């Protein structure tokens, strides 16, 4: 997709993805409230029974009378409530996210501050914030991949994607790719009064190294490897089955087998030793 | 925003182990004193709703109660740590400069004690789900000047000797360090970020950096000690250099 606006917009530096704080941020409180209400309404009968076992009174008189074995369910109840709370919040906010998408569908391009795109990207980001925060603080480390799938991001099977920042829209990750610690995958870039949105595609069996940034519009073809500590420029295409390194990416290296690389290292060692020996002889000769 | 659990946390302040063991009491006193108002609040809530027998309203308002509890804990922790900090300021006022990293240097000792006191309120901010708590609420109480209309929720900012202007964007995972440790010396310098500055993702600002009006720092770069970035220009690289057009 190349708009007429997009070609005029010059990118001189990579900034960051993110959103300002708006009044819509308070949606977090609503999501929290709804999740808690679901958990409490399901647990009312259980705590009514426990209260009866403790004191002999009931605060809800129309429910059953508690049995002694219900104490055994208490640890299961605590762990189940954590999952239930997270699951209800995730379902509720994914539903609202879909509604927002129906009201104003997201588009790619460059947009000014105050336009409808600007407003709705902010709303969608704040809507997606709390479920992803919850999934990442649960004791199940892969649960945030399910949240991303609920929100409409395409993530394939056997993907490692829980140790970095990933934008909640316009990102495609195919099967068997690995992303490392502390990476950033941006499909949005914010300048002062403009926002750039472009789709990021990561192919099959890619590896994204630690401490890297992937800017909007980059395409990693199948089998590409992005090296440690490097970042990509906007609209960059990384060829498949090569290693890419640089800030921004400017070097292309071939993938080697372990034996080849060991042989190469030994060859370099021998050459450097010869050089050192030669220089030593020269120095000794000069001294004499 | 959507950061994983392993990257959450308060600003990176390496407290010396010697002083941490010595002044650990201050940390525990801070925790206990800040929990007391929360207990009183819960007792009042129970007394109003449970004892009068309005059980359903008690359960309906419970989520609101939890949200208020988080705010109350945060606020009381901040107030108690500020009380400690003002007493410390009267004993020995904090100042900038290069010091020695010994147990005899007074500036180094008092910097460590200040960080022990700030640890508890910064820990609560980092571990609750509301992202505006840390840089917009807590750091302003500690004397960090942060202007309005900014976007700096996802960065690590040191809790003293930092001033940030209006309309500033600070990117994902970038750190503003107003302290530096180099072998035996310990450095404390002020970081000044003026209005309309953009700092990209994963940047590191070392102590003494002064970024002037309307300057842009590209992503994945760091600045040197006492670097001055001039106005209306673009900087990038390791360390940051002026980008020629």
């Amino acid at each position: 997709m190349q708009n007429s606006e997009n070609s005029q917009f010059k990118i001189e530096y990579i900034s960051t993805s993110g959103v300002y704080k708006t009044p819509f941020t308070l949606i977090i409180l609503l999501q929290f409230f709804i999740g808690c209400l679901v958990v409490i309404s399901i647990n009312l009968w259980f705590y009514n029974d426990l209260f009866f076992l403790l004191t002999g009174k009931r605060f809800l008189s129309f429910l059953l009378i508690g049995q002694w074995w219900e104490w055994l369910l208490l640890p299961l109840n605590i762990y189940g409530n954590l999952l239930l709370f997270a699951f209800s919040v995730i379902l509720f906010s994914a539903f609202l996210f879909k509604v927002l998408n129906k009201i104003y569908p997201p588009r790619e391009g460059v947009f000014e501050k105050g336009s409808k795109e600007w407003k709705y990207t902010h709303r969608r980001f704040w809507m997606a914030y709390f479920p992803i925060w919850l999934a990442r603080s649960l004791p199940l480390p892969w649960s945030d991949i399910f949240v991303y799938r609920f929100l409409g991001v395409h993530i394939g099977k056997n993907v490692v994607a829980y140790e970095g920042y990933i934008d909640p829209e316009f990102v495609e990750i195919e099967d068997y790719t690995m992303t490392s610690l502390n990476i950033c995958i941006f499909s949005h870039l914010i300048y002062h009064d403009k926002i750039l949105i472009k789709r990021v595609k990561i192919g099959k069996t890619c590896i994204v190294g630690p401490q890297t940034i992937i800017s909007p519009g980059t395409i990693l073809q199948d089998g590409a490897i992005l090296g440690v500590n490097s970042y990509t420029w906007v609209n960059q295409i990384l060829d498949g089955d090569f290693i890419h390194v640089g800030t921004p990416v400017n070097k292309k290296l071939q993938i080697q087998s372990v034996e080849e690389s060991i042989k190469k290292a030994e060859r370099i060692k021998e050459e450097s030793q010869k050089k050192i020996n030669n220089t030593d002889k020269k120095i000794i000769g000069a001294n004499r | 925003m959507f950061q994983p659990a392993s990257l959450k946390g308060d600003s990176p302040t390496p407290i010396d182990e010697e002083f941490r063991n010595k002044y650990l009491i201050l940390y525990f006193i801070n925790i206990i004193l800040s929990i007391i108002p929360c207990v009183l609040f819960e007792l009042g809530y129970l007394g109003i709703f449970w004892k009068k027998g309005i059980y359903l309203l008690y359960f309906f308002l419970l989520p609101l109660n939890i949200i208020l509890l988080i705010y109350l804990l945060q606020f009381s922790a901040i107030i108690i740590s500020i009380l400690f900090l003002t007493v410390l300021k009267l004993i020995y006022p904090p100042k900038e400069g290069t010091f020695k990293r010994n147990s005899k240097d007074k500036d180094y000792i008092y910097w460590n004690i200040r960080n022990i006191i700030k640890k508890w309120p910064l820990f609560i901010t980092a571990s609750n789900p509301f992202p505006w708590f840390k840089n917009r609420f807590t750091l302003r109480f500690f004397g960090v000047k942060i202007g309005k209309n900014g976007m700096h929720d996802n960065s690590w900012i040191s809790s003293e000797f930092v001033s940030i202007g209006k309309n500033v964007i600070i990117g994902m995972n970038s750190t503003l360090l107003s302290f530096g440790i180099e072998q035996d010396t310990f450095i404390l310098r002020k970081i000044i970020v003026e209005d309309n500055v953009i700092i990209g993702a994963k940047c590191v600002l070392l102590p003494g950096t002064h970024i002037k009006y309307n300057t842009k720092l590209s992503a994945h770069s760091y600045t040197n000690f006492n670097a001055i970035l001039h106005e209306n220009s673009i900087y990038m690289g390791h360390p940051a250099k002026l980008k020629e057009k």
Side-chain angles (χ1 to χ4, degrees), chain A residues 21 57 62 71 76 83 100 102 106 121 126-127 134 137 148 166 175 191 193-194 217 227 236 260 264 279 288:
Chain A
K21 195 194 167 197
K57 289 179 203 168
F62 53 88
W71 285 112
L76 206 111
L83 294 179
L100 273 181
K102 275 274 165 63
T121 47
W126 282 121
M127 189 69 84
L134 259 183
S137 55
Y148 277 114
I166 301 170
D175 305 347
Y191 296 82
D193 47 357
K194 268 173 190 164
Q236 206 165 24
E260 278 176 42
K264 206 176 182 182
T279 49
R288 277 177 186 172

Side-chain angles (χ1 to χ4, degrees), chain A residues 135 141-150 153 155-156 159-162:
Chain A
W142 59 89
S143 55
D144 60 335
I145 288 175
F146 294 110
V147 182
Y148 277 114
R149 280 179 190 157
F150 270 129
V153 178
I155 294 181
V159 169
V160 181
Y162 41 79

